[in-house]
Amino acid sequence: MRGKAGDGGKMISISLCMIVKNEEAVLARCLDSVAGLADEIVIVDTGSTDRTREIAAGYTDRIYDFQWIHDFSAARNYAFSLATCDYIYSADADEVLDEENRERFRLLKENLLPEVEIVQMKYGNQLQYNTVYNYDEEYRPKLFKRLRQFTWIEPIHETVRLQPVIYDSDVVITHMPVQGHGGRDLANFERQVQEGRRLSRHLHNMYARELLTVGEPEHLERARACFEDSVEDPERGGEELMEAFCVLSRASRVQGDALGFFKYAMKAMAAGGCSELCVELGLFYEQERQDPAEAAMWYYNAAYETEPILILESGRTQALEGLIRCMRQTGQEEQAAEYERQLEESVDEV
């Protein structure tokens, strides 16, 4: 159920809740950008060894320690438990609100209807930093009502409303990391698998995205057993199987295992294929077989005949760059120029 902001009467109060670790490079920038919007600031430190706590102390005295247990949800739940205001704003240290969106946030705070339980904000600037997310701007839940009131609905056969009231705001949060978190996240995924945890559908998808985005050969090697188990798991759905085929094909290719590569690539093609696998086949023929003509066919399929399932760029930038390379290797300069034009157009559209 989605609501609309309007004249909410009494202005809401907001607790800013953050979990941090070694964020001295960006924490002040984040806190300065939300100054005056939050009625209290709660910062939970999970083991900083730099000046993070010192910087935080310049903004709030509500700084708490939380022993890191490799569980972001546990840390965030602890931070939320310390909040006392009407609503909780969850921020990461590498987020920034510019002046235009500070004003949008201020107006939101002044006018939010009390029945709204979750406010979504647009999370922007993703593609510039090679994150696992496929869109440069997407809605994310960021402002949460601290205490939820259950309400009966329907004039007859009454029932309790279970779905939260969500408002999609026009506030845009700019994501400005100073370093990637891929290595940290992959290490955490590996720990979860080593401890015997069966990855949920969401985490299975995110692990595959991380591996295809920033995974090094050693990460792919360590992930093989997990995704081989997925292939044999009758409870994994079709999307999860395709994710596993993508990871296993990439792992096999970079490790020089041609038999394994074709085993999983062909399974994926039999299931309908995807841009990621076509790019892998293009790279195989281009790099391993020095066959640019065959590689170009697969890059073409990645760009025009299939759809991405994990990495949007596989069906756009990666495929077109592969086509440009292959056209140049085969002396087809006019066609290479055409693909370069399409690549420039696709970049401009982002």
Side-chain angles (χ1 to χ4, degrees):
M1 180 178 180
R2 295 182 183 273
K4 180 180 179 181
D7 182 9
K10 175 180 175 292
M11 185 167 63
I12 65 169
S13 61
I14 295 177
S15 301
L16 169 62
C17 290
M18 301 178 66
I19 60 172
V20 297
K21 181 178 180 181
N22 293 336
E23 300 287 5
E24 65 177 7
V26 293
L27 182 58
R29 183 185 67 184
C30 174
L31 292 173
D32 286 341
S33 78
V34 296
L37 297 173
D39 299 279
E40 71 174 357
I41 298 175
V42 175
I43 294 182
V44 171
D45 188 274
T46 61
S48 293
T49 57
D50 62 2
R51 295 180 55 250
T52 293
R53 292 179 65 93
E54 178 185 341
I55 293 168
Y59 297 84
T60 181
D61 59 359
R62 299 202 59 196
I63 304 171
Y64 303 87
D65 291 312
F66 183 82
Q67 183 176 356
W68 180 238
I69 55 173
H70 305 282
D71 188 332
F72 285 98
S73 291
R76 290 198 190 278
N77 285 335
Y78 177 62
F80 273 35
S81 75
L82 301 168
T84 63
C85 293
D86 301 327
Y87 284 79
I88 299 171
Y89 176 55
S90 178
D92 290 330
D94 56 8
E95 298 174 4
V96 178
L97 280 171
D98 61 22
E99 284 303 316
E100 179 182 0
N101 287 289
R102 274 179 50 81
E103 178 62 12
R104 289 174 175 172
F105 199 122
R106 184 187 67 78
L107 292 172
L108 175 73
K109 181 179 179 181
E110 290 180 354
N111 295 286
L112 189 67
L113 292 171
E115 58 263 35
V116 173
E117 294 166 318
I118 297 175
V119 176
Q120 297 206 117
M121 299 177 184
K122 293 177 182 177
Y123 205 70
N125 216 31
Q126 290 288 79
L127 297 180
Q128 179 179 345
Y129 295 99
N130 196 34
T131 68
V132 297
Y133 299 97
N134 282 323
Y135 301 98
D136 209 37
E137 190 174 275
E138 62 181 351
Y139 270 119
R140 290 188 183 182
K142 296 295 290 182
L143 187 66
F144 306 86
K145 195 166 191 178
R146 185 172 64 87
L147 299 177
R148 186 178 182 191
Q149 297 174 323
F150 288 96
T151 305
W152 289 92
I153 56 174
E154 308 297 357
I156 56 174
H157 299 294
E158 66 278 5
T159 185
V160 172
R161 176 175 52 79
L162 301 178
Q163 296 299 316
V165 178
I166 300 172
Y167 172 61
D168 292 341
S169 75
D170 59 357
V171 178
V172 180
I173 300 164
T174 303
H175 184 216
M176 298 179 65
V178 295
Q179 60 182 4
H181 300 305
R184 177 201 68 186
D185 291 344
L186 287 170
N188 205 339
F189 276 119
E190 290 170 8
R191 179 183 293 272
Q192 301 297 324
V193 172
Q194 289 168 3
E195 292 177 353
R197 176 174 179 173
R198 184 184 186 276
L199 298 182
S200 67
R201 181 175 178 177
H202 171 67
L203 287 183
H204 191 275
N205 176 275
M206 295 305 295
Y207 192 14
R209 285 177 186 266
E210 293 273 12
L211 286 163
L212 295 189
T213 304
V214 297
E216 298 292 337
E218 59 269 24
H219 296 126
L220 290 160
E221 175 61 27
R222 291 195 291 267
R224 285 192 72 137
C226 171
F227 288 94
E228 286 170 348
D229 288 345
S230 295
V231 171
E232 302 301 326
D233 187 343
E235 295 185 9
R236 292 289 184 192
E239 291 182 4
E240 292 165 296
L241 286 177
M242 286 294 288
E243 292 162 5
F245 294 150
C246 286
V247 170
L248 292 168
S249 295
R250 168 75 63 84
S252 298
R253 180 180 64 79
V254 301
Q255 291 154 12
D257 177 9
L259 187 61
F261 172 71
F262 278 105
K263 172 184 176 180
Y264 293 113
M266 293 305 102
K267 284 178 181 290
M269 290 303 161
C274 60
S275 297
E276 291 85 349
L277 262 301
C278 289
V279 166
E280 289 298 321
L281 283 158
L283 289 168
F284 176 84
Y285 282 108
E286 180 186 3
Q287 297 177 358
E288 308 301 325
R289 293 293 184 265
Q290 287 77 52
D291 187 346
E294 185 71 12
M297 183 197 73
W298 289 109
Y299 289 134
Y300 184 91
N301 274 272
Y304 304 109
E305 303 295 337
T306 53
E307 296 293 331
I309 63 167
L310 289 165
I311 309 299
L312 188 64
E313 293 301 299
S314 65
R316 185 167 52 188
T317 303
Q318 293 174 9
L320 289 172
E321 288 177 343
L323 280 168
I324 293 165
R325 291 193 304 271
C326 291
M327 292 302 101
R328 290 245 155 84
Q329 291 174 52
T330 54
Q332 301 179 65
E333 289 296 331
E334 185 175 338
Q335 191 61 55
E338 170 59 21
Y339 289 131
E340 282 186 331
R341 184 190 65 77
Q342 293 181 31
L343 179 59
E344 289 175 3
E345 286 183 353
S346 71
V347 171
D348 290 340
E349 290 172 0
V350 174

